[in-house]
Amino acid sequence: MAEVMDRIELVRGDITKMEVDAIVNAANNSLLGGGGVDGAIHRAAGPELLEYNRKLGGCATGDAKITPGFRLPAKYIIHTVGPVWRGGKRDEDRLLESAYRRSMEVAVENGVRTIAFPNISTGVYGFPKERAADIAIRTVKEFLANHPEIEKVYFVAYDLQNYEIYSRKLSQE
Ligand code: ADP
């Protein structure tokens, strides 16, 4: 797994600044914007994003849709919808895994080689951060092992707690 781990990098900061082929947005089902990372991405991408997304018809939880990056340094935005945490018995783990996997599938379909993920569902959606990090790391590693087309996956941690969790888990891999 050493080779796969070389293609994963942890970054602390604001995902809208990432110079990558695609950044992933932790969106909601409407794709019409929200708070947290979604709000930051809509502000940085510009009003063209909202206009574009109005025609997409939303996105199911666990699925992903791609748009241009508009005013972002990133060429694309991959909008995915993670689950709202409701205690763990409502398929949350599987839906979070699906959000990561579908984002990477859509990335590959569009020739994306470098991609940055926020910590999906761990903000307003309340998914426990340790548990979310385990799912994110496992799903990304599995995907990278089967998809050499993806050169680099960045986990972008905005809050210190997520940064520390990822830092510890990735160093243990
Ligand atoms: P969700 O509704 O999926 O929980 P949030 O946007 O509320 O989405 O939170 C998801 C994660 O995004 C949180 O860990 C939060 O710290 C992080 N976040 C917020 N703003 C940014 C940003 N500008 N860049 C990267 N991550 C961000």
Side-chain angles (χ1 to χ4, degrees):
M1 272 309 190
E3 186 270 338
V4 162
M5 292 312 294
D6 290 344
R7 288 150 66 205
I8 297 178
E9 202 168 307
L10 174 62
V11 175
R12 175 107 199 264
D14 178 357
I15 201 166
T16 66
K17 311 281 192 230
M18 293 294 291
E19 297 185 9
V20 285
D21 294 337
I23 65 167
V24 175
N25 182 14
N28 57 42
N29 295 117
S30 78
L31 298 185
L32 301 180
V37 70
D38 194 10
I41 288 173
H42 273 265
R43 278 192 299 280
E48 299 94 330
L49 177 59
L50 178 58
E51 200 181 315
Y52 189 99
N53 281 6
R54 286 190 198 286
K55 299 178 190 114
L56 292 182
C59 183
T61 305
D63 201 1
K65 290 191 178 178
I66 194 164
T67 72
F70 298 104
R71 301 180 197 183
L72 291 176
K75 182 170 181 204
Y76 298 111
I77 305 164
I78 297 172
H79 304 264
T80 190
V81 185
V84 175
W85 180 257
R86 292 196 175 91
K89 297 203 166 78
R90 304 282 288 273
D91 229 10
E92 292 95 328
D93 290 349
R94 191 189 61 79
L95 289 166
L96 186 62
E97 175 180 332
S98 175
Y100 279 94
R101 199 183 47 253
R102 285 292 302 137
S103 296
M104 290 184 286
E105 286 171 359
V106 168
V108 166
E109 286 162 14
N110 288 276
V112 166
R113 305 181 71 85
T114 56
I115 180 169
F117 280 99
N119 305 130
I120 302 167
S121 285
T122 68
V124 169
Y125 281 7
F127 206 107
K129 290 180 182 178
E130 290 273 352
R131 186 167 174 143
D134 283 334
I135 293 168
I137 293 167
R138 174 171 44 78
T139 308
V140 164
K141 277 177 59 186
E142 264 172 34
F143 194 88
L144 286 178
N146 295 310
H147 293 273
E149 320 81 291
I150 302 274
E151 282 167 17
K152 199 86 165 185
V153 172
Y154 297 90
F155 285 118
V156 181
Y158 188 71
D159 59 278
L160 179 61
Q161 210 185 2
N162 265 316
Y163 182 80
E164 288 176 346
I165 289 169
Y166 275 79
S167 193
R168 168 166 41 81
K169 289 188 190 294
L170 290 172
S171 71
Q172 286 165 354
E173 291 280 344

